[in-house]
Every structure is written in structure tokens, then in C-alpha cells.
Amino acid sequence: MTTFLTILVLVSITVAIWQMVKIFDLTNANRPNTEIANDKDNKINGYLMIAFLVFIYLMMIICVYLYGDLPLLSNSASAHGPQIDNLMIISLVLIFAVQILTQFLLHYFAFKYKGEKGRKALFFADNDKLEFIWTIIPVITLAGLIIYGLFTWTEIMFVEEDEDTVVIELYAQQFNWKARYAGEDNVLGKANVRLIDIDKANILGLDESDPNAQDDVITTELHIPVGKQILFKMRSQDVLHSAYMPHFRAQMNCVPGMITQFAFTPTVTTEEMRATEQMQIKVKRINEIRKEKSKELAAKGEEALEPYVFDYLLICNKICGTSHYNMQMKIIVESEEDYKAWLKEQKVFKNSLVKN
Amino acid sequence: MSEHADTHDHDDHGHHHKETFVSKYIFSYDHKMIAKQYLVTGIIMGIVGILMSLLFRIQIAWPEEPNVLFEALLGKWAPDGVMDADIYLALVTIHGTIMVFFVLTAGLSGTFSNLLIPLQIGARDMASGFMNMVSYWLFFLSSVIMIISLFVEAGPAAAGWTIYPPLSAVELAQGGSGAGMTLWLVSMAIFIASSLLGSLNYVVTVLNLRTKGMTMTRLPLTIWAFFVTAIIGVVSFPVLLSAALLLIMDRSFGTSFFLSDIFIQGEVLHYQGGSPVLFEHLFWFLGHPEVYIVLLPALGLTSEVIATNARKPIFGYRAMIASILAIAFLSTIVWGHHMFVSGMNPFLGSVFTFTTLLIAIPSAVKAFNYITTLWKGNLQFNPAMLFSIGLVSTFITGGLTGIILGDSALDINVHDTYFVVAHFHLVMGISALYGLFAGVYHWYPKMFGRMLNKNLGYIHFWITAICAYGVFFPMHFIGMAGLPRRYYTNSKFPLFDDLSDVNVVITVFALTGGVFQIVFLWNFFYSMFYGKKATQNPWRSNTLEWTTPVEHIHGNWPGEIPTVHRWPYDYSKPGHDEDFVQQHIPLKEGEEELQH
């Protein structure tokens, strides 16, 4: 309803403006060329250019002040995270500098050289030196960025697997995630969606005859040990999904019919992350918002929202259907002992099958 | 092919046959009428597309709250006035499709290529008037089919405008992937046919029908932009057509080009051996050049408008042509930057990072050249000029973030978040829309023989400019905070709760900006009948279209086609009394033809 009223108000504003314009036009009825900018228009719009420049700057300042320090930008929880963040910050600084400078030149020139009757513009069609300068500067800057970016990318994507690497399968389906651990033998059993047998509770389509599959563990929560390289092998059973773990600066699509992979080393446990000052501020802020919302909900007779506790998340980030907006899995980063203890409690594949 | 044009060469008055209503307004061969048809169809589609975006912005700002607008417009898709999650995705999908293809490709390029190519190169009409007419009517047909697809029982296509299979291919995956998607594909196939007919026509016309003296280096930058755009279209659209056809085969005839190993809703599908990644390659082989198909014409129009209104030659004419060509070439080898995390070989990612960041160079050259063109000019702030400066502004802001997205390492964390939405809306959406508006304000007198109201134009520009920044600038920040795009509601993630007020701000800007487009619509349709009568050359411009009479006639020029003696940017040239010298005016004795 509020929206509808807002729109009504806006429409009436439009009508009002139109009427003003109409009156303005009537007073000008007899002059020729009234629809072409005259000196007065040039002056007004010239000043508006400066006003608009101020608006852009204000917008930038406000956004950076309010949202520039979102914890997701500055405290990553993986080994390669700081590298990405560094590159991101360098790029952002560069972008802001260029944005501030070029927008200034554009709008300032627009203001400074606003048209006046009788003045003639400078006939200035070409200057090789200038053009060379602003071709070569981007070339050099971009070369730097490309080289830095490619090194980072190569380091992240070309994974060197060693004995210590923990291999975990991420399995996507509309609209939830499963994780599969390799078990004692550290080898994931063979699997294909054609082997799925819902009646026997073989939900990921593991090959029941594969000895490597017997000790695999399937869970709905992702636990990973801190400080160890985790290699994710990703599968999807139906449509494209994307395994997005923003806190770890990690993302890879899950593609039906093929196995994709991404590896990272978690460096901060869930507990440690919760304890950081930045995260506590964020959680507090969120909980205040949730409290406010709960009050509104209570007034409507609905249930209040639960208070928020920080957890790492695996989010689906590729449009996958109706409930795409709620396809998530909790990630818990913990010490290796805790991780091993937790894993031991889980049922292994051969014991999880329903026997006929 | 040129039969039509030939008849006019022998007929100076252009009134050789009696026109009926049907042949003049409906099945017209005349490029000027076809341009108007494109424009009006584009505007109508634009209204639909923008309205959709307003609806889903309301949902994002106030998730799952009942709204009378939803109830009124969405019917069964908004039970009790609450928007359904499927229709949300459908709105997002169709909004993207309509805006990218129907408004900014056909509406922008279709309108101004048709209007300006013959007029600015000095031709009586397009190379093939018939093909041109067919092109428009195919576009019209595809628009109608796209609109019809909105009313399909199981819902319109809802797999995102990129329609990645299997989501778009398997009906079990999503209601919209049934008849809705079939109609979407049929509509797009027809659209591509239309676009190809149009593009071939543009290329042939520019190459063959230039008037005497109109060498390639005397062409206005508008024509260069349209010409190169048409070539990109001819090169890349067929690939999308093949992708669409293969997808139709997978959907309806049981092939497995893009599908393999699918288990959905309790059953294993028969598909084996295909790959969705293949579809992504085919799609983006058009999809990325498409960005430039949308953007280059806008930049071309802007070049012309800025030069005319700055009363100054465009700075670095040859560099501008070179950067158009460079952008066109690079645009066909960068598509992989949409697929850094698609599962393709990371080495390919490195290659595409390299080529993608290279595009920043010609783009930077263009931006700097525009800024230099303003320097020491005598700027006439007509509404078209404001939109052109606005375009340069959003092109810079939006283009800069491309440096982040084109960098594969950084893309890992912002891929498919609102950061991407902010980036492409500014750099191609808003920029191209500004180009379209600049074109309409500037060439309205040529199209309709009347002037648009300038004061309404000013209001339209300033409100739109503020709202566009208000909508898309904060989006960068919620994107960097990790908020994925295409989420029906963010309420399932308390993590993002502190971003909900940003979303409200964005929506308020969007609603204001959207509603104020009424000012433009009113101005556009009212001035068509009641606007001030235009003079022959209201902006005192150099190009040939302003030497034609205000009244439209077949064949464009009543007498002989003027001969061209100079480049189109002799503004404020020393040695002339006026601050413009039209292209058909011969060089004075001893005057140098300065054109670089």
C-alpha cells in the first residue's frame, strides 16, 4: 500500500511539473527556436553539472563510509584470501582515483565551457602526443594488474595435491547441499547419478560395489579442519549450481555430467571468527535489526526472529530454480581433533544403506 | 537489390506512386518510417521491461509483503498480493531479455541505423528496402511472441536471460522451462533472423551506397559505429542461433548436446555425454559481443551529439575509429570472462583475463577523447547533449569496475553477485539507454518534423541521472558484501540483514527514476502532434541528414544527392563565419582539409 501511495505521489509531482513547464512555454509562445538551448539554459545546466559532480562524490563517500568496511571485504578465512583482498584493494583504490579524476574533468569542463552566444570554440581536432599518453598509461597500469592477477589466479586454481590434502565432495541438488568425505582410505568412491537408489537411501548414487565407497561419509553440514588444504570435488545431480563460500573467497560451479574442483586452506576456525571484534560488531548490528523486525512481527501476531549467530556458509550462486534463494549449507571450521571426532560419529556409507 | 533505389534516381520528386495508409505506415519500404516503427516498438517493449524491474525491485526491498500492484498486475502469480518466487525469476529473466535485445539492440540500433545510415551517407534508401521491411516485421513478430509467452499457464521462461541448461532445458526443473521457454526460444530465433537481415543491409548500404565524395574517412562516427556493430552482429548472432537450435533439439527431440547425467524429481533422464559448459561458450560467444552491439551505436550517437553541441570537432577522429575497430575485434575473444568459475580449464581463464583487460585500453581512449572534445568548447546544453555527457559519466563509472570483474582472481568472489549487476547496468544498460535518449532528443526533429520540449527534457535527464546513480552505485557495495543476484528474498540469510536498508534505498531510487520516464513518454507522444515545428537544421549540424527537407519524402533529397567535400566535424573552423560548415560545402580556395 505504501508503495502504491508513493507512486501516486510521484505521478502527481510529474503532473505538477508538466503544468509548470506548460506555463513557462506559454510565456515564450512567440519566440522562435524556443526548444533549442539558449545562454540561460546553458548556464543553469552548467551549474547543475557541478551539482551532479558533488552528488556523485557524496554518493561515493556515503557508500564507502557506510558499507566500505563490510567484514566480507577485509577478513578472509582462507590462506589465499588475503591475496585476493590485496589485489581487490589495489584495484579499488585505482578505480576510485580514476573515477574521481575523470568525473571531475568531465563535469568541470562541462561547467567551464558552457555555451555563450558569440564565443567560438577552439578548433582542436587532434594531438598525437596527448593520445599517446592516454593510451600508454592504461597499457602500463593494466599490464601490472594483469600480471598480478594472473599470478594470483594461477596460484589459486592450479592445485598441488599432497598426502595431507583432504578431499571432500560437494554435491548439489535443487535445493540443498550434501558433503561427502572420503573416509579412512582418503579416496572417494565412484559415483554416478544413474546409481541413485532412493529406496535404499543411496541418495548420491555411490557405486555400492566399489570398495572405496564403503567408508565414505555423507553429511548435510560441512566440517573442515583448520590449516589443512581442502580439495573440493563438486557434482550436481540436476541443474547448474554454484558453490559460493564468500568468507573463503571461493567459488566454483557445479555442473551435471562433470566434476569440477576448487581448493583452499581454511585459516580461521568458526570460534575464532566469532570472537573477532569486527564480526562481533557486525553480529550485534544484525541482531539489533532483527530485534526491530521481531517487534513488527510480534505486532502482527507472528513469531519473532531468532537471534543471529555467525557461521560460515556455502551459498548457491547460480540461478537454479524456485528456491534458489534458500540453498545453503553451514560450514564449520574446527581444529583437526574436533574434526576427526566429529567425522567418527557419522555413519559410513555401507551402514547408512537400507537393507532389504 | 537496388531496384528500389534506382527508381528514385530517375524520379526527382519521389511522389511517383500513390501511397495508401498500409504502404506508408505499415508495410513501408522507407527507411525513415521503418526507423520510427523500430523506435515505437522499442519504446513499448521498454515500458514492459522497466515496469518488470520496478515490480521485482519492490519485492527485493520489501520481501514477501503483499502489494496491490502485484495483485493487480500479476494475478494468480501473486496470491494475496504476495509475489510468487517463480514469477520473480521470470520477471528478472524477461526484464533482461527485453532490455538487452528488444530495447537496446533493436530499439537503439534498429532505429538509428535505419534512420541515419542512408541520410548521413547520402543514399536514397537502404540497399534493400524490402529486406528492411521484413527485418522490422520479424522483430515485431518476435516481440509479440515474447509478450505472449508471459501468459503461458506454467509461467514464462525463468532461467535468467542467459537460459543456461539444464535449468532451461528440463521442464521438471522449473515450471517456466516448459511452454514459456519454447516461446522464448522461438521468439529469439525470429529476433536473430530479423537482426541478421538488418545487419546485412546496413553493411551493404554503407559499403555501396555512399554519395560522391563520402570516403570512409569522411563518415560520421555514428556510421562507423553502426557499420562495425552490424559486422559484429553478423559474426556473432548466428552462433546464438545455433545454440538456440541445439537447445530446442535437446528439449524437444531428445538429443544430448548440453545435457548429461541428470537425476531430477526421482527419475534419471536419458541424456548422456553433453555439456552445459558448451552452451555457455556458445551463448557468450554472442553474449559478450552483444554488449558492444548495444554500446557502440550509443557511443556513435554520442560522438555526433557531443561534437555538434560542443561546436568543436570530435577529438581524435581516427583514434575513435581505431578504438571502435579494436573494441569490435577484442569483443569476439573475451567471452570466457563470463565463465571463470564455470568449470572450464583455469588456463583458459588466464587467456580471457588477458584479452578482457585489453579492452580497457580502447575504452579509455574513447573516454578521454570525449572529455577533450568538451575542453574549450562552446557547449550547448540541449537535452541530447546532457544525455551524451551522462553516457560518458556512466560509461566511466561502469567501465572501471570491469577491471575487477575481468580479473579472474577477483571474479571468484564477486561473480554473480550484485557487483556484476551494478557493473553491467551502468556500463551497458544505462549508458546505452542514455545513448538512445540522446539520439531521440537530437534526431526527433528529423524523424517527426517537430521539436521535443526542452524543459521536459531537462527534468527527464536530471532525475534519471540522479536515480541511475542512486540505484546502481550502492549495488557495488552489497555485491562486495557477497550478496548473490537473482535471490527472491534475502531473508533466509541473516548474514545479509544489514544490507536490507540499502535495498530499500535502491528501490526508492528505482521507482522514482522509473516513474519519471513518464515525462519522456509524454514529451515523445505529445510533441509528435503538438510540438513546435522544426526548422531544417535546428542544431546547426554538419552532417547530410540536415540538408534534407523537414517533410519526409521518398528518396530523401528532392533534387540531386549532395556531393561531399569535407569530413563531418568542421565546427568552429577558423576562416569561416559560421561555427559550422556542412559536409556538402566545397573547400574554400587554399583551405586545408584537416581531418585526422
Side-chain angles (χ1 to χ4, degrees), chain B residues 521-588:
Chain B
L521 290 178
W522 193 86
N523 199 359
F524 185 87
F525 288 106
Y526 179 86
S527 304
M528 213 182 272
F529 304 102
Y530 307 107
K532 292 242 161 60
K533 285 246 162 63
T535 52
Q536 194 188 25
N537 189 2
W539 317 117
R540 300 186 300 139
S541 181
N542 284 349
T543 37
L544 288 184
E545 74 272 29
W546 305 106
T547 61
T548 63
V550 178
E551 283 292 315
H552 284 182
I553 53 169
H554 266 305
N556 297 337
W557 284 270
E560 255 180 68
I561 302 180
T563 305
V564 167
H565 297 281
R566 54 178 77 232
W567 75 323
Y569 298 109
D570 273 344
Y571 289 103
S572 304
K573 192 173 190 182
H576 291 267
D577 300 333
E578 291 276 359
D579 63 356
F580 69 113
V581 193
Q582 290 193 289
Q583 280 191 280
H584 66 281
I585 295 173
L587 294 173
K588 284 183 183 172

Side-chain angles (χ1 to χ4, degrees), chain B residues 212-224:
Chain B
K212 211 169 153 202
M214 183 63 92
T215 58
M216 289 303 270
T217 48
R218 279 181 184 163
L219 285 176
L221 287 172
T222 34
I223 302 303
W224 267 105

Side-chain angles (χ1 to χ4, degrees), chain A residues 106-322:
Chain A
L106 179 72
H107 292 93
Y108 176 71
F109 285 170
F111 162 76
K112 175 109 194 269
Y113 301 108
K114 55 190 181 299
E116 281 164 37
K117 218 175 186 133
R119 204 181 66 207
K120 224 173 179 188
L122 176 73
F123 190 78
F124 181 54
D126 215 351
N127 185 319
D128 288 346
K129 213 185 208 168
L130 271 179
E131 282 171 84
F132 178 75
I133 290 173
W134 60 58
T135 311
I136 206 72
I137 290 178
V139 168
I140 294 167
T141 327
L142 285 167
L145 281 179
I146 290 174
I147 291 168
Y148 190 170
L150 288 184
F151 272 108
T152 315
W153 169 253
T154 309
E155 220 166 289
I156 296 169
M157 299 306 285
F158 293 93
V159 189
E160 302 244 340
E161 223 179 309
D162 57 35
E163 276 172 22
D164 252 10
T165 305
V166 181
V167 181
I168 301 174
E169 177 179 86
L170 287 178
Y171 185 86
Q173 57 182 281
Q174 288 180 328
F175 298 95
N176 62 63
W177 297 97
K178 300 264 186 320
R180 176 158 68 108
Y181 294 81
E184 296 279 301
D185 57 359
N186 206 16
V187 180
L188 285 167
K190 284 189 199 119
N192 185 291
V193 292
R194 277 160 218 280
L195 303 173
I196 292 176
D197 191 338
I198 299 289
D199 296 336
K200 287 178 77 179
N202 184 0
I203 47 171
L204 302 200
L206 268 62
D207 185 348
E208 288 166 36
S209 62
D210 182 359
N212 290 328
Q214 304 307 319
D215 63 346
D216 286 6
V217 170
I218 298 164
T219 64
T220 53
E221 226 177 53
L222 180 62
H223 285 240
I224 44 179
V226 71
K228 284 220 162 185
Q229 188 185 42
I230 318 286
L231 175 61
F232 291 101
K233 298 275 180 186
M234 297 160 187
R235 276 203 298 150
S236 163
Q237 72 167 33
D238 37 40
V239 300
L240 290 176
H241 300 276
S242 188
Y244 181 35
M245 295 169 264
H247 302 95
F248 304 100
R249 312 291 186 262
Q251 175 162 212
M252 183 50 69
N253 286 3
C254 306
V255 185
M258 70 189 255
I259 294 169
T260 55
Q261 65 171 35
F262 196 98
F264 65 80
T265 310
T267 50
V268 187
T269 64
T270 303
E271 287 303 325
E272 283 165 1
M273 185 58 103
R274 282 179 188 161
T276 57
E277 198 193 336
Q278 217 175 357
M279 192 50 78
Q280 283 184 337
I281 294 171
K282 184 182 167 85
V283 169
K284 204 174 141 207
R285 191 169 60 220
I286 290 176
N287 275 327
E288 271 160 22
I289 295 170
R290 289 176 80 75
K291 222 181 256 168
E292 284 301 307
K293 261 193 212 156
S294 294
K295 272 185 208 156
E296 277 173 43
L297 287 175
K300 278 193 239 165
E302 285 171 53
E303 257 180 76
L305 299 169
E306 277 174 34
Y308 169 62
V309 183
F310 171 78
D311 265 307
Y312 294 121
L313 285 178
L314 166 59
I315 300 175
C316 180
N317 196 17
K318 182 64 74 192
I319 182 171
C320 66
T322 313

